[in-house]
Amino acid sequence: MHRSTFTTGRYVLSSHSARDGHLARRLFQLYAGLALYGASSALLVRSGLGLEPWNVLHQGLSERTGLSMGVVLTLVGAAVLLLWIPLRQRPGLGTVSNVLVIGAAMDATLAVLPDADGMAVRVALMAAGIVLNGAATGLYIAARFGAGPRDGLMTGLHRRTGVSIRLVRTALEITVVATGFVLGGTVGVGTVLYAVTIGPLAQLFLRVFAVPSTSDGSTVVATGRPRRAILRP
């Protein structure tokens, strides 16, 4: 009886330890992913060869207002988050952190990263930005702390209107790219390559950074092909 109780107690302690370890890892992945997302977006800005759809809008607004891209990104994220209220979306820790961390990380990186000199350097920055953005997406999403504000807008519109997620995302991205381009945002080969490659990259890194479940020891990974970019800044 004593041995059985000891074994049960040891199991409980082990279970709590695993749960705490997974939480610490998830929190690390959340904030590392958000910081890396902002830094990778800054690489794309410095490349001058094209930005992610939403950052085309952020850059255009930055050009018009004189605010930094990071500040604009944060303000737009907060405004989008307000749209969750009529859509009855519920934010999580990752949602709020997304609004606060990515813009700050982008501005910090832009402050220390000089403009690219030469096409070879610009191409290298573009490639690094896209790949690291995919890694950041995997880190952030695998942490399972909630969707970013722009993805929540997409899923909320899908639920409220019945329009497919593919059409909602396409409409949103066309709108933000067109608006950002008119305002002075950069659209180029990097924008196209990002749209084509971010889905497979996100799928790869979601598997790499998947966090084991505390319930049965299994690992939660993404199944199926992600609908293009999973995370939006």
Side-chain angles (χ1 to χ4, degrees):
M1 182 71 174
H2 177 72
R3 179 173 181 176
S4 175
T5 303
F6 174 78
T7 303
T8 302
R10 183 176 60 184
Y11 171 79
V12 172
L13 289 174
S14 176
S15 177
H16 280 297
S17 177
R19 188 180 301 114
D20 292 343
H22 290 155
L23 178 59
R25 174 178 168 179
R26 290 172 61 207
L27 287 169
F28 174 80
Q29 287 194 194
L30 170 65
Y31 291 106
L34 293 176
L36 182 59
Y37 200 102
S40 64
S41 294
L43 295 182
L44 289 171
V45 172
R46 287 292 185 245
S47 78
L49 296 175
L51 303 175
E52 315 98 292
W54 279 93
N55 273 338
V56 175
L57 175 63
H58 299 149
Q59 188 181 53
L61 289 171
S62 175
E63 293 288 334
R64 296 289 179 167
T65 62
L67 298 173
S68 70
M69 274 193 70
V71 170
V72 170
L73 187 152
T74 300
L75 292 175
V76 171
V80 171
L81 194 55
L82 291 177
L83 296 176
W84 282 33
I85 297 173
L87 296 175
R88 297 180 181 177
Q89 293 284 93
R90 301 178 67 179
L93 175 63
T95 310
V96 177
S97 299
N98 183 297
V99 174
L100 299 175
V101 174
I102 294 181
M106 176 186 283
D107 274 352
T109 305
L110 289 173
V112 299
L113 188 67
D115 291 330
D117 184 17
M119 183 55 68
V121 176
R122 294 172 66 192
V123 170
L125 286 175
M126 178 190 68
I130 292 173
V131 173
L132 291 176
N133 200 278
T137 299
L139 278 166
Y140 168 85
I141 296 297
R144 307 192 305 275
F145 278 108
R150 294 151 185 84
D151 276 338
L153 175 63
M154 174 194 69
T155 56
L157 288 171
H158 161 66
R159 292 193 184 103
R160 298 288 286 179
T161 65
V163 178
S164 71
I165 284 182
R166 179 177 299 178
L167 288 177
V168 172
R169 181 177 288 283
T170 299
L172 285 173
E173 293 190 349
I174 289 176
T175 300
V176 298
V177 168
T179 304
F181 180 72
V182 170
L183 293 174
T186 305
V187 177
V189 63
T191 308
V192 177
L193 287 176
Y194 182 91
V196 171
T197 61
I198 193 62
L201 284 171
Q203 183 70 46
L204 169 64
F205 286 110
L206 276 166
R207 294 186 178 278
V208 171
F209 297 121
V211 180
S213 170
T214 56
S215 59
D216 57 6
S218 62
T219 300
V220 179
V221 297
T223 57
R225 182 183 178 85
R227 293 180 178 87
R228 298 180 65 193
I230 296 175
L231 170 65
R232 291 288 183 243

